[in-house]
Amino acid sequence: MPRSTTRTRWRLGLATTALLAATALVPVPAHAETVTDYAVTVDPAAQGAQIDDTMYGVFFEDINRAADGGLYAELVQNRSFEYSAVDNRAYTPLTSWTVDGAAQVLDDAGRLNDRNRNYLSLGAGSAVTNAGYNTGVRVEQGKRYDFSVWARAASGSTLTVSLQDAGGVLATARAVTVRKGGWARYRATFTATRTSSEGRLTVASSAATALDMVSLFPRDTYRHEPNGLRKDLAEKIAALHPGFVRFPGGCLVNTGSMQDYSEASGWQRARSYQWKDTVGPVEERAVNSNFWGYNQSYGLGYYEYFRFAEDIGAMPLPVVPALVTGCGRNRAVVDDALLKRHIQDTLDLIEFANGPVTSPWGRKRAQMGHPAPFRLTHLEVGNEENLPAEFFARFAQFRAAVEAKYPDVTVVSNSGPDDSGQTFDTAWQLNRDAGVAMVDEHYYNSPQWFLQNNDRYDSYDRNGPKVFLGEYASQGNAFKNGLAEAAYMTGLERNADVVKLASYAPLFANEDYVQWRPDLVWFNNHASWNSANYEVQKLFMTNVGDRVVPSTATGTPSLQGPVTGAVGLSTWATSAAYDDVRVTGANGDTLLSDDFSGDASRWTHTGGGSWSLQDGQYVQTDTAAENTMVFAGDTAWHDYDLRVKATKKSGKEGFLVAFGVKDTGNYYWWNLGGWNNTRSAVEQAVDGGKSTLISKAGSVETGRAYDIDVKVRGRQVTLYLDGQEWGSFTDDKPAEPFRQVVTEDDRTGDLIVKVVNAQSTQARTAIDLGGARVASRARVTTLAAAPDAVNTETGTAVAPVASTFTGVANRFTYTFPANSVTFLRIGQR
């Protein structure tokens, strides 16, 4: 990938700004200790991996209302009356609207256009009012807001447009004259006289009028686009100076119908995200039923994504469907004509991004306002497909078509939804055998997993496909999560010759519309705030460096005893029955035996659901409840066998058998028939965050009794299903809390020593710079907070603090605070 002097200046500039802006200094560490806890040794003469400018980026998916009601600045919800029960069972075409008088939503030949199929017929003397997002329409005193509407009136009419809240008028009302005749767009501008987050937009009509695309945009959007982005959210992304922007998904890409939005397909709403639906005039863009349970207007579409990536100096990295559905909906689409159409759409996408204005799609780009190409260099096909053979057969056809016409475009593959397991191994083997350039890995695991797996990429083939870590997070927004991710990122940088791209996910969450946690940036209709994880990402992304300087560090002594804990039973969106539970020690002694012929008094119910004794079985009957855990036994148990019979009765998944249960947040369980009954896995929960230890494709049958046997010996666990060994694992990796990496900034010559101390004690550390001639002062940026500290709208517990350390020498001692991420920028002479 090309190097960029400009991007290096950005990183340096941002780091300098942070230093100048800080008003508090961390205590200056002592530098004369004779006893140290750790030692870091740097070898500046050795050649480490080059780090591409695109190493760290962001992944934007329209989840948690990240687009409509979020990054897309439109203030009117359901502006074209297209909401439907297909999108959400609670929706109607008038969701977010209230009617005063006579109004009805129509779907007939009088519509604005074929792709915008609904419109509102508003009676004479009637009005409709929109409630916006969250608490209402947000306006700020003195700022301007642009109103627009498509309207038609058989005899002409006057629209009175107003902004108000419960306290009264928010702006002077505007009168809009609708001419007699067909559809036309009308505009007006408001200047807010008060600030409010609870505004309402009302449109009243003097005569019968048809309305569509009722819109209110703040004038002050990011880069002042007429179809622009919410400024504070866009600026938070820009402040990261990401090397790339991956979009639009995610599960949006590989779920739903692969058909187009047309009469021939029956105007299917629940479709995969297809780029041609999202370009052109906004009133002609298709609507869609979002996988995450709401409507997508596509006002924020591919053109806007490309423009935003260009504005912030990031590489665009779009993802297109591979015609294999994922995210728990595992199905390969068998339709050669449809596959060829999607392949052609992908070629057209590259032409839209890079083609000359004389090409059909290059002309479309120019007509939208951007004659110059967007310089697309990478494109991903598919997302987390759990059918690796079927996916790869289709991927190979996409790749061949793209490479034949656009050999300079890198086509990115993926390895499924997990960090390991049967799907992962099969996908990677297919990618290796075919010489794929880059493979996208995704995983969401506990903080402990990230502390345990810093060395994950140390053993990857240096000559094989490169890695794009497209989605990862440690299942929480507390500082302990950020610490674990920071520790892991030192391993990503150390392996920058293999890991070429990495992005935390998801990016945004509207606090009132959450489908997934954790998230990098949180917001509502009037404010936004950075998570602790964001501060970690920003520190790394703005201080990357250009090459790794090889270094080593001593580790933390770690003594691990056997896996200990009680045993448990659970379900997830399923009704299941359990019988004949027996736990025996390694010496054969019976620790627990329960055939449920009496009562269930030995079992403690800690989760949801409804448990009862039925016909000599212990049955959970609630098919909507998730994690219905009951457990029994002693948390000190170790070296035992757990045997149980389990039967799925109804529901979407299978059943779960737990062992090593310490409490509600710390346990192991064998999840049989999970992920919509498509996979089975052993997961470990640590402080509520789960990691997958072993995973295989598979399902369970309803009504069939399964014999389950879990053998725990020391830290090794072997699992048997119906008498056959299903799998085994050894949980013996230490969760190392002290991690480091050193990089060098080519432009400044700075050595950047990056140290994570994810423990509750400070770390006195001897640092040996290996003979490098260095300045005596280092610029220091520190993130330090309590492990459970969380940033909120009203409080920032985790924020960078800049300071200066004057004790730098070729060998010196630095004490890293407890629970901290510290970057030392050391100038070289």
Side-chain angles (χ1 to χ4, degrees):
M1 300 174 191
R3 308 212 57 76
S4 169
T5 303
T6 302
R7 289 188 51 73
T8 304
R9 290 197 193 102
W10 279 347
R11 291 175 180 137
L12 177 62
L14 192 65
T16 304
T17 300
L19 288 166
L20 294 174
T23 57
L25 299 180
V26 294
V28 176
H31 54 277
E33 286 107 341
T34 57
V35 178
T36 58
D37 302 307
Y38 297 93
V40 174
T41 303
V42 184
D43 185 359
Q47 287 297 311
Q50 289 293 121
I51 307 175
D52 294 324
D53 289 330
T54 49
M55 174 76 181
Y56 295 122
V58 294
F59 165 48
F60 182 92
E61 178 176 10
D62 188 359
I63 184 174
N64 310 313
R65 286 281 191 186
D68 295 332
L71 183 62
Y72 186 48
E74 174 66 75
L75 297 173
V76 176
Q77 184 174 178
N78 190 19
R79 65 183 177 186
S80 59
F81 311 100
E82 295 286 347
Y83 277 27
S84 165
V86 175
D87 312 328
N88 185 304
R89 283 181 292 181
Y91 282 179
T92 74
L94 282 172
T95 292
S96 199
W97 294 94
T98 55
V99 176
D100 182 6
Q104 60 177 323
V105 175
L106 300 178
D107 175 6
D108 61 26
R111 63 178 64 90
L112 179 60
N113 59 64
D114 280 347
R115 293 167 75 78
N116 194 328
R117 301 191 62 75
N118 286 356
Y119 66 97
L120 182 75
S121 176
L122 185 63
S126 301
V128 287
T129 297
N130 191 265
Y133 295 94
N134 301 89
T135 55
V137 175
R138 165 70 174 182
V139 296
E140 296 181 49
Q141 183 177 356
K143 291 196 173 181
R144 292 196 290 174
Y145 296 84
D146 292 324
F147 168 83
S148 67
V149 62
W150 283 82
R152 64 171 170 80
S155 303
S157 72
T158 299
L159 301 178
T160 301
V161 188
S162 58
L163 277 166
Q164 66 284 323
D165 64 7
V169 173
L170 293 172
T172 302
R174 294 285 183 261
V176 176
T177 300
V178 178
R179 298 181 299 274
K180 176 181 177 181
W183 287 103
R185 190 181 188 195
Y186 300 90
R187 296 177 173 86
T189 298
F190 293 95
T191 300
T193 55
R194 287 192 295 115
T195 294
S196 175
S197 297
E198 300 175 352
R200 299 292 187 269
L201 175 73
T202 297
V203 181
S205 179
S206 65
T209 308
L211 304 178
D212 207 343
M213 293 295 290
V214 182
S215 173
L216 187 69
F217 258 87
R219 178 72 59 85
D220 187 19
T221 59
Y222 186 76
R223 295 296 176 103
H224 308 286
E225 293 285 335
N227 189 47
L229 306 181
R230 179 171 152 175
K231 193 171 185 180
D232 62 324
L233 298 183
E235 287 177 343
K236 287 188 182 300
I237 305 176
L240 295 170
H241 294 290
F244 64 88
V245 179
R246 177 178 180 250
F247 62 90
C251 288
L252 302 185
V253 169
N254 68 338
T255 56
S257 169
M258 299 294 165
Q259 299 289 340
D260 61 1
Y261 188 60
S262 67
E263 184 176 9
S265 66
W267 305 106
Q268 293 190 37
R269 298 175 66 95
R271 307 180 315 283
S272 63
Y273 196 112
Q274 299 175 44
W275 78 271
K276 288 181 179 178
D277 287 342
T278 77
V279 297
V282 290
E283 69 273 9
E284 296 177 7
R285 298 183 189 181
V287 297
N288 202 7
S289 175
N290 186 309
F291 172 81
W292 298 109
Y294 52 89
N295 176 275
Q296 284 177 283
S297 73
Y298 285 151
L300 175 57
Y302 258 71
Y303 178 76
E304 289 75 26
Y305 286 126
F306 277 125
R307 282 296 302 264
F308 182 54
E310 180 181 67
D311 285 343
I312 62 177
M315 176 182 80
L317 206 166
V319 187
V320 299
L323 274 72
V324 178
T325 57
C327 301
R329 302 178 179 183
N330 300 330
R331 184 173 65 89
V333 178
V334 181
D335 185 331
D336 286 342
L338 187 59
L339 176 61
K340 286 175 179 157
R341 194 267 287 175
H342 276 268
I343 292 171
Q344 185 58 51
D345 282 354
T346 301
L347 297 175
D348 291 344
L349 171 60
I350 300 171
E351 182 177 287
F352 177 78
N354 295 349
V357 296
T358 54
S359 65
W361 287 103
R363 185 181 306 112
K364 182 76 167 180
R365 181 192 68 240
Q367 290 169 348
M368 294 185 71
H370 199 282
F374 284 118
R375 299 186 179 88
L376 175 67
T377 61
H378 289 65
L379 180 143
E380 184 171 356
V381 176
N383 171 77
E384 295 187 9
E385 284 74 23
N386 206 33
L387 300 172
E390 292 87 341
F391 160 74
F392 201 81
R394 290 155 180 78
F395 170 84
Q397 295 184 60
F398 279 88
R399 179 191 180 200
V402 171
E403 291 182 347
K405 190 168 184 180
Y406 300 104
D408 294 334
V409 173
T410 298
V411 184
V412 182
S413 182
N414 77 80
S415 59
D418 298 304
D419 62 86
S420 60
Q422 188 176 37
T423 295
F424 179 88
D425 293 340
T426 301
W428 256 105
Q429 190 61 52
L430 290 167
N431 285 306
R432 275 192 297 267
D433 291 346
V436 169
M438 185 174 287
V439 177
D440 187 4
E441 294 189 353
H442 295 178
Y443 37 85
Y444 298 91
N445 290 321
S446 68
Q448 174 168 300
W449 185 94
F450 284 95
L451 294 175
Q452 288 176 319
N453 286 279
N454 178 274
D455 62 350
R456 175 180 177 88
Y457 296 107
D458 290 1
S459 59
Y460 270 50
D461 182 1
R462 280 23 221 175
N463 298 313
K466 303 306 180 185
V467 172
F468 172 20
L469 180 50
E471 298 183 34
Y472 72 99
S474 71
Q475 300 176 337
N477 278 143
F479 188 49
K480 63 186 176 185
N481 300 98
L483 285 169
E485 291 153 7
Y488 194 71
M489 292 170 80
T490 66
L492 300 183
E493 290 193 5
R494 186 176 64 251
N495 289 284
D497 57 327
V498 169
V499 183
K500 290 298 184 180
L501 308 169
S503 50
Y504 180 101
L507 180 57
F508 284 126
N510 184 323
E511 66 173 351
D512 292 332
Y513 308 92
V514 180
Q515 289 91 26
W516 183 277
R517 300 171 188 267
D519 303 282
L520 205 62
V521 176
W522 289 79
F523 66 93
N524 50 38
N525 66 354
H526 62 275
S528 56
W529 54 98
N530 304 332
S531 66
N533 318 66
Y534 175 97
E535 296 298 347
V536 166
Q537 292 290 323
K538 184 177 180 182
L539 187 57
F540 274 84
M541 291 168 78
T542 55
N543 293 277
V544 181
D546 296 286
R547 74 174 181 94
V548 176
V549 182
S551 59
T552 57
T554 53
T556 304
S558 178
L559 297 175
Q560 291 189 315
V563 171
T564 60
V567 298
L569 311 171
S570 188
T571 61
W572 197 286
T574 301
S575 172
Y578 295 89
D579 201 359
D580 296 333
V581 178
R582 184 176 178 85
V583 181
T584 55
N587 59 3
D589 290 348
T590 298
L591 303 177
L592 172 70
S593 180
D594 199 338
D595 63 3
F596 302 109
S597 58
D599 58 32
S601 59
R602 282 175 284 189
W603 296 87
T604 300
H605 186 189
T606 62
S610 178
W611 289 87
S612 62
L613 293 176
Q614 297 181 17
D615 300 323
Q617 296 180 314
Y618 202 20
V619 183
Q620 197 293 115
T621 55
D622 187 346
T623 57
E626 299 178 345
N627 192 2
T628 63
M629 176 87 81
V630 293
F631 71 88
D634 191 330
T635 57
W637 280 353
H638 62 88
D639 296 293
Y640 57 78
D641 289 356
L642 163 63
R643 295 182 177 87
V644 61
K645 289 185 181 295
T647 305
K648 173 182 176 176
K649 297 177 73 68
S650 63
K652 294 191 291 188
E653 304 213 349
F655 34 77
L656 303 109
V657 175
F659 53 97
V661 179
K662 300 289 186 61
D663 52 45
T664 57
N666 294 274
Y667 54 85
Y668 302 81
W669 68 18
W670 188 2
N671 184 350
L672 286 145
W675 296 271
N676 285 329
N677 205 15
T678 62
R679 283 192 289 143
S680 298
V682 176
E683 298 175 281
Q684 180 184 19
V686 178
D687 295 332
K690 291 199 290 291
S691 302
T692 300
L693 302 181
I694 182 173
S695 174
K696 294 182 179 181
S699 60
V700 299
E701 299 173 23
T702 301
R704 174 184 166 188
Y706 290 85
D707 289 317
I708 295 168
D709 183 0
V710 180
K711 186 182 297 291
V712 180
R713 294 293 184 271
R715 300 204 67 80
Q716 183 172 5
V717 178
T718 308
L719 306 109
Y720 298 87
L721 186 63
D722 289 337
Q724 301 296 313
E725 183 174 332
W726 178 87
S728 65
F729 67 91
T730 303
D731 181 23
D732 61 356
K733 271 191 151 185
E736 172 59 69
F738 185 87
R739 296 293 187 184
Q740 60 80 38
V741 70
V742 180
T743 65
E744 183 175 23
D745 187 319
D746 284 347
R747 182 176 176 275
T748 65
D750 288 352
L751 292 176
I752 312 172
V753 179
K754 311 174 187 184
V755 175
V756 181
N757 182 28
Q759 58 191 330
S760 58
T761 56
Q762 63 184 18
R764 297 166 296 169
T765 305
I767 300 175
D768 183 345
L769 297 178
R773 299 182 61 207
V774 293
S776 61
R777 298 166 66 90
R779 292 175 294 159
V780 184
T781 306
T782 306
L783 291 171
D788 292 325
V790 177
N791 289 347
T792 67
E793 179 183 353
T794 57
T796 306
V798 182
V801 174
S803 62
T804 302
F805 175 58
T806 58
V808 178
N810 189 253
R811 294 180 179 177
F812 66 100
T813 300
Y814 192 96
T815 299
F816 295 97
N819 301 306
S820 67
V821 183
T822 305
F823 280 29
L824 301 167
R825 270 192 170 264
I826 302 171
Q828 296 187 82
R829 295 174 179 170

